């Protein structure tokens, strides 16, 4: 059942190239220059006339929503707000008939997300679901939707659900961008081709596994860890921190890199590992100067960089490379080493990787 892997989590991490392909199969038609998604086509007017898109979700799915916020605004020029379902449902939010709500949920059973959907429907919003589990409550409760087709995710720590959610949301953003004309034909085609090539690049990113295992031996006894990223990779930093804390019980926090000087920098000393996502596209110079600030305070730096990077190598204690891709797609690659790092650290600490204490795979109570 674990397909030769020791844990479901590891199996699911390694399944990502295949899972992402399954997600875009039949939808991403790069040669024809089309994104085909019935749930969007049939409701195109609702999306195009939307005042804004509100994304609701919890946990890792909320992080996928944050990545989507950057993608939708950048490519399709539609304003997006991302909300924790639990906060949204209880704060009397302003929702109108011109709003589109996208609910993201792997299980399709998360109580708070389901309640947020019901509320938005009552107020006349159009509700679109992005779920993995076919026929789940959220899939049934939404007006339309798109499945991620990641296959069953058993490990409590979400991995392939996250990358496939981002894949679906990217396809939606591209489809809307094409319809709105907010991307040139050349840009649109460029993204389709690049997305089609992502599974092979994820495969490449997975080749760092042995290196990451070595890095893990050095940090397995840490009590804290900081994750930093900017732009598209800020949500990836949040996701990396969540992954580490939920399975290894090490306290971890994710921050936008530039926020470091507004507080977290006070935590940095020679005991503090800082995982920094510093891919070449995306505020690279600024992130490099953040790395310098960490180094001058003797922090330990684990950097995720673009293949062939030279400048970060001189500063960081460890560098893990991912292949180059266009900026909006970098989260699909930078997430991989962070998943592996949390997996190895948790394992070395003797934790139950697939079933961490106190957690359930689907949170059906609030
Ligand atoms: O099934 P959902 O996507 O709605 O679940 C949301 C969260 O409970 C889930 O992502 C949780 O945060 C994971 N354990 C994270 O790995």
């Amino acid at each position: 059942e674990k397909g030769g892997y020791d844990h479901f989590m590891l199996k699911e991490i390694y399944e990502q190239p295949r899972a992402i392909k399954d997600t875009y199969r039949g939808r991403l038609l790069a040669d024809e220059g089309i994104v085909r998604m019935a749930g969007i086509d049939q409701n195109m007017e609702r999306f195009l006339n939307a005042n804004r898109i509100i994304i609701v979700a919890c946990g890792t799915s909320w992080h996928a929503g944050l990545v989507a916020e950057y993608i939708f605004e950048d490519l399709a020029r539609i304003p997006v707000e991302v909300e924790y379902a639990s906060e949204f449902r209880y704060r009397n939010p302003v929702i109108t008939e011109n709003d589109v709500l996208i609910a993201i949920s792997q299980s399709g059973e998360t109580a708070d997300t389901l309640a947020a959907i019901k509320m938005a429907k009552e107020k006349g919003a159009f509700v679109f679901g992005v779920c993995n589990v076919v026929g789940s409550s959220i899939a049934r409760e939404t007006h339309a939707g798109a499945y991620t087709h990641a296959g069953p995710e058993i490990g409590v720590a979400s991995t392939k659900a996250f990358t496939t959610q981002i894949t679906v949301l990217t396809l939606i953003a591209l489809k809307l961008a094409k319809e709105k004309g907010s991307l040139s034909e050349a840009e649109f085609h460029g993204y389709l081709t690049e997305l089609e090539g992502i599974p092979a690049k994820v495969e490449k990113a997975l080749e760092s596994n042995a290196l990451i295992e070595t890095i893990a031996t050095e940090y397995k006894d840490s009590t804290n860890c900081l994750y930093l990223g900017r732009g598209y990779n800020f949500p990836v930093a949040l996701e990396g921190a969540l992954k580490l804390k939920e399975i290894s019980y090490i306290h971890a926090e994710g921050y936008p890199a530039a926020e470091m000087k507004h507080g977290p920098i006070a935590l940095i000393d020679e005991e503090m590992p800082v995982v920094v996502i510093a891919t070449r596209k995306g505020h690279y110079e600024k992130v490099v100067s953040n790395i310098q600030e960490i180094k001058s305070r003797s922090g330990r730096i684990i950097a995720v960089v673009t293949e062939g990077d030279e400048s970060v190598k001189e500063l960081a204690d460890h560098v893990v490379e991912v292949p180059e891709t266009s900026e909006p797609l970098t989260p699909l690659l930078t997430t991989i080493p962070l998943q592996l790092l949390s997996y190895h650290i948790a394992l070395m600490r003797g934790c139950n990787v697939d079933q961490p204490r106190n957690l359930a795979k689907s949170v059906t109570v609030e």
Side-chain angles (χ1 to χ4, degrees), residues 33-292:
I34 300 174
V35 175
R36 188 186 290 154
M37 295 179 93
I40 304 292
D41 278 320
Q42 287 156 10
N43 301 287
M44 191 52 93
E45 290 309 307
R46 295 298 303 244
F47 280 97
L48 295 182
N49 297 330
N51 287 337
R52 57 176 181 167
I53 293 175
I54 306 166
I55 298 180
V56 294
C58 304
T60 290
S61 298
W62 183 75
H63 296 152
L66 286 179
V67 175
E69 175 179 24
Y70 286 80
I71 301 179
F72 275 100
E73 295 203 346
D74 193 7
L75 308 189
R77 308 302 297 150
I78 302 174
V80 176
E81 281 170 46
V82 189
E83 306 259 6
Y84 282 117
S86 56
E87 285 298 314
F88 182 76
R89 63 179 286 205
Y90 284 118
R91 70 168 173 74
N92 193 16
V94 180
I95 308 172
T96 72
E97 286 165 9
N98 292 325
D99 288 325
V100 168
L101 185 119
I102 299 182
I104 310 173
S105 176
Q106 187 287 129
S107 63
E109 301 298 341
T110 300
D112 283 320
T113 310
L114 196 56
I117 291 168
K118 289 184 179 156
M119 186 177 80
K121 273 172 74 180
E122 270 165 32
K123 302 203 171 170
F126 174 72
V127 183
F128 190 91
V130 174
C131 296
N132 190 39
V133 177
V134 176
S136 55
S137 305
I138 291 176
R140 283 182 279 119
E141 196 63 46
T142 41
H143 294 118
Y147 285 115
T148 45
H149 299 305
E153 190 183 67
I154 311 294
V156 165
S158 191
T159 53
K160 63 176 179 170
F162 180 67
T163 45
T164 56
Q165 285 163 346
I166 294 174
T167 304
V168 165
L169 292 158
T170 305
L171 288 169
I172 297 174
L174 285 169
K175 196 165 170 55
L176 297 178
K178 168 143 182 156
E179 198 68 27
K180 287 188 65 179
S182 54
L183 285 178
S184 71
E185 277 292 312
E187 286 168 325
F188 177 75
H189 283 269
Y191 282 123
L192 293 192
T193 314
E194 195 56 39
L195 185 56
E196 196 175 36
I198 284 290
K201 293 185 177 182
V202 171
E203 204 82 68
K204 199 85 202 298
L206 287 166
E207 287 172 12
S208 298
N209 184 46
L211 166 66
I212 294 168
E213 193 173 355
T214 318
I215 298 173
T217 55
E218 247 181 82
Y219 298 97
K220 68 176 188 352
D221 298 317
S222 299
T223 48
N224 287 286
C225 188
L226 205 56
Y227 286 75
L228 304 176
R230 274 185 96 121
Y232 281 98
N233 284 294
F234 156 53
V236 175
L238 296 180
E239 173 60 8
L242 174 60
K243 221 85 299 174
L244 186 70
K245 79 183 108 180
E246 76 176 323
I247 62 170
S248 75
Y249 319 140
I250 294 174
H251 175 242
E253 280 196 72
Y255 258 95
E259 274 292 305
M260 188 175 68
K261 61 174 81 62
H262 298 283
I265 198 165
L267 293 167
I268 294 173
D269 61 14
E270 56 290 340
E271 301 287 309
M272 180 62 119
V274 188
V275 178
V276 189
I277 305 154
T279 44
R280 210 172 292 123
K281 293 190 189 128
H283 321 285
Y284 177 71
E285 278 79 22
K286 295 195 169 153
V287 176
V288 171
S289 67
N290 291 135
I291 294 176
Q292 269 152 348

